């Protein structure tokens, strides 16, 4: 235990996701000992983050106005919605420059352990967006893990009744690696999910 | 495959040790508590990333040290390989093969061993979970992909149990019911695959286990292995629905041979348990509640067999597993490790066991008393004293 402020700061860092007590201590001492570290800039950013950054009223992505820059962009195809778990997934897909439609951020995936059911996700808002018939295809891009799959299944069952095409991103082997070195689990799954190339 | 050299650093009671090993039998002798088991345990760890004695790695690191190193030079055909794992007290473990970094969980691709130790009596006499652990470890060795299926199944189970519990306290909401169906689907898909893969393994294990048993015992006591499946209505975890872990499978028990068959039984079993699952907030059907029934002379081993018979059965399970891996592996024979086995056997069984294991490329044996081990196995004897290899 350290005295006063130092310990309080360590405790505060330790509450952040992915930071254990050791890292928290390291960060606190880094700030304390590095004179060139711009503390006021960090403090400013944190305050601005709270004041200025919100979640887009339409899609749930991070936004500095009521809606995000993607929802406001008239060049985006309004007939296509890609459903993701988190705002960081939007960034990942944007980097590919392949997708020109709109997004919908659920805010997580169905996971009873974490207390998240369908009612805790932005699913009602998604249904509202689909109501006027503009959207023709919903691409489900939840994570390729159990919770992501469960969420995808839930959504596809829910959307079945609407006259909208529902698709799911393919998952498989990472590109750029040697088949030989892919781990057994990934490779085994890729075998399970193999597709027909020619009949 | 064989281990030609083992090097330990800060492992258990070894500060530093260097041991040369030969093809065929290698015998490690020393008084109680000197480090014989520790030495062979390290090789078991290198091939399975786990110890047969403790579930946490902490106990493997020498008291007062921060990390332990197990390094083995392996030989298969003419290929030499240096495999190494570093077990760290407060950071993730690291592994290397030929001095280049690999993920620790990839180590089993390079080295396989089968270890039999006194603790393995628990497979025969212990709870169903001990038998499931035994069979699942072998399942993963034969099909590494199954590690993912087993891990996913456990996770689905936790998710589903949590959902059932919260439904119990708040009543089942419409949306919860839909998600329960989704977890049911996952449970059935993953669980059915586990049930079928285990059943196939149990079937494949039958002949080599029977052969090993009669080779060691010298008599045919008709050893049998059969799956006890909760999806077929027998609950090994529930004392009031059957005799806990003591059933021999009835002849009319149907063991599904395809995933589709298993899935169908699984679904109807789930449906019939729905009420009690909701009452108890617990998943009551699935491979997590299965068992394997062992039999000798048409009687269950658990609760009926003598100490010697139980012991021989446990040994036969491990020898049978080694035989199975040997027939399938591209790495050659697994290294067979027998910890403290000979002291438990009578003279006849000792020499029969020696003959039964003679075909393995390499066998590592520990004994407190040199005279307990048949002379045919003592050609390469290493003495262990106080965490040191004293002479060879
Ligand atoms: N992490 C550790 N650090 C230091 N010593 C340890 C550690 N773990 C175990 N030991 C010591 O190792 C010794 C046990 O060694 P081991 O189990 O290999 O004995 P053994 O030679 O197989 O004896 P036996 O014949 O009784 O089976 C004990 O004295 C124990 O205290
Ligand atoms: Mg011992
Ligand atoms: Zn938006």
């Amino acid at each position: 235990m350290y005295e006063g402020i130092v310990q309080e700061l360590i405790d505060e860092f330790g509450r952040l996701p992915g930071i254990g007590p050791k890292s928290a201590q390291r960060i606190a001492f880094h700030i304390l000992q590095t004179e060139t570290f711009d503390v006021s800039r960090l403090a400013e950013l944190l305050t601005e983050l709270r004041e200025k950054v919100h979640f887009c009223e339409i899609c749930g992505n991070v936004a500095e106005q009521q809606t995000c820059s993607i929802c406001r962009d008239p060049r985006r195809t309004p007939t296509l919605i890609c459903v993701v778990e988190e705002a960081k997934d939007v960034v990942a897909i944007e980097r590919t420059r392949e997708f020109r439609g709109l997004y919908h951020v659920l805010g997580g995936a169905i996971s009873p352990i974490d207390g998240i059911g369908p009612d805790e996700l932005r699913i009602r808002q998604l249904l509202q967006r689909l109501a006027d018939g503009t959207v023709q295809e919903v691409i489900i891009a939840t994570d390729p893990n159990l919770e992501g799959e469960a969420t995808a299944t839930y959504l596809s069952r829910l959307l079945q009744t609407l006259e909208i095409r529902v698709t799911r991103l393919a998952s498989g082997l990472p590109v750029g690696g040697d088949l030989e070195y892919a781990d057994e689990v990934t490779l085994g799954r890729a075998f399970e999910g193999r597709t027909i190339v020619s009949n | 495959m064989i281990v030609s050299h083992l090097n330990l650093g800060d492992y258990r009671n070894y500060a530093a040790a260097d041991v040369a090993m030969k093809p065929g039998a290698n015998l490690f002798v020393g008084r109680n508590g000197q480090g014989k088991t520790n030495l062979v345990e390290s090789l078991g760890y290198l091939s399975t990333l786990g110890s047969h004695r403790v579930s946490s790695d902490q106990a493997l690191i020498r008291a007062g040290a921060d990390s332990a190193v197990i390094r083995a030079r392996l030989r298969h055909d003419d290929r030499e390989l240096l495999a190494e794992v570093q077990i760290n007290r407060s950071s993730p473990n690291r592994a290397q093969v030929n001095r280049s970094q690999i993920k620790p969980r990839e180590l089993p691709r390079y080295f396989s061993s089968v270890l039999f130790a006194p603790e393995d009596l628990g497979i025969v006499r212990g709870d169903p979970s001990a038998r499931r652990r035994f069979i699942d470890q072998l399942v993963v060795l034969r099909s590494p992909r199954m590690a993912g299926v087993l891990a996913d199944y456990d996770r689905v189970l936790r998710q589903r149990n949590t959902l059932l519990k919260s439904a119990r306290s708040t009543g089942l909401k419409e949306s919860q019911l839909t998600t329960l169906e989704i977890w049911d689907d996952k449970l059935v898909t993953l669980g059915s695959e586990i049930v079928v893969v285990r059943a196939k393994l149990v079937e494949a294990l039958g002949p080599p286990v029977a052969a090993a048993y009669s080779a060691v015992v010298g008599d045919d006591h008709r050893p049998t292995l059969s799956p006890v499946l909760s999806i077929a209505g027998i609950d090994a975890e529930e004392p009031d629905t059957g005799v806990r872990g003591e059933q021999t499978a009835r002849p009319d028990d149907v063991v599904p041979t395809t995933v589709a068959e298993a899935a169908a039984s699984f679904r109807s079993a789930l449906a019939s348990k729905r009420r009690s699952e909701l009452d108890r907030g617990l998943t009551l059907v699935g491979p997590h509640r299965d068992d394997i029934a062992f039999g000798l002379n048409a009687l269950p081993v658990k609760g009926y067999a003598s100490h010697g018979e139980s012991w021989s059965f446990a040994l036969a399970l491990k020898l049978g597993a080694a035989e199975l891996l040997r027939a399938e592996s591209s790495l050659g024979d697994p290294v067979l490790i027998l910890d403290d086995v000979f002291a438990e056997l009578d003279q006849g069984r000792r020499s029969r066991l020696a003959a039964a294991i003679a075909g393995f490329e390499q066998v590592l044996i520990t004994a407190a008393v040199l005279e307990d081990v048949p002379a045919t196995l003592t050609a390469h004897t290493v003495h262990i004293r106080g965490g040191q290899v004293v002479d060879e």
Side-chain angles (χ1 to χ4, degrees), chain A residues 14-184:
Chain A
R15 268 195 271 279
L16 297 174
I19 298 183
K22 277 199 172 168
S23 310
Q25 184 176 324
R26 211 174 304 137
I27 297 170
F29 274 92
H30 175 81
I31 296 173
L32 190 64
Q33 289 163 348
T34 315
E35 282 180 13
T36 50
F37 189 89
D38 194 345
V39 178
S40 48
R41 169 99 184 116
L42 182 64
E44 243 167 66
L45 280 174
L46 289 176
T47 319
E48 283 184 34
L49 184 74
R50 254 290 173 275
E51 284 169 0
K52 293 187 183 158
V53 184
H54 313 275
F55 293 102
C56 170
E57 283 181 354
I58 302 170
C59 74
N61 190 11
V62 283
E64 292 196 12
Q65 302 177 19
Q66 283 195 323
T67 56
C68 73
S69 56
I70 296 174
C71 285
R72 285 199 312 271
D73 187 344
R75 293 164 304 174
R76 310 286 302 210
T77 318
T79 55
L80 216 54
I81 285 187
C82 180
V83 179
V84 296
E85 291 181 18
E86 311 280 354
K88 63 180 164 47
D89 302 326
V90 172
V91 178
I93 296 175
E94 282 299 284
R95 263 200 309 260
T96 69
R97 297 167 181 272
E98 290 294 329
F99 180 70
R100 299 302 299 160
L102 300 170
Y103 290 95
H104 192 83
V105 182
L106 291 172
I110 295 176
S111 175
I113 299 172
D114 303 304
I116 301 180
D119 298 344
E120 278 70 42
L121 300 173
R122 300 181 69 257
I123 291 176
R124 199 170 34 82
Q125 290 89 329
L126 176 64
L127 293 178
Q128 280 164 6
R129 288 180 77 184
L130 301 179
D132 70 359
T134 316
V135 177
Q136 281 157 23
E137 180 176 349
V138 171
I139 303 168
I140 303 177
T142 49
D143 291 349
N145 53 28
L146 285 171
E147 292 75 19
E149 295 290 343
T151 311
T153 310
Y154 181 83
L155 284 177
S156 56
R157 286 187 193 171
L158 195 66
L159 303 182
Q160 231 168 32
T161 48
L162 310 175
E163 295 218 332
I164 295 175
R165 206 152 89 110
V166 179
T167 53
R168 172 98 175 99
L169 285 196
S171 69
L173 293 170
V175 180
D178 269 316
L179 191 67
E180 185 190 351
Y181 297 117
D183 77 87
E184 297 80 356

Side-chain angles (χ1 to χ4, degrees), chain B residues 12-13 32-38 53 59 61-63 340:
Chain B
R12 292 279 199 185
N13 65 338
N32 293 142
Q34 301 303 303
K36 307 179 297 292
T37 299
N38 293 346
R53 292 194 288 189
I61 304 168
R62 196 165 71 97
D340 261 345

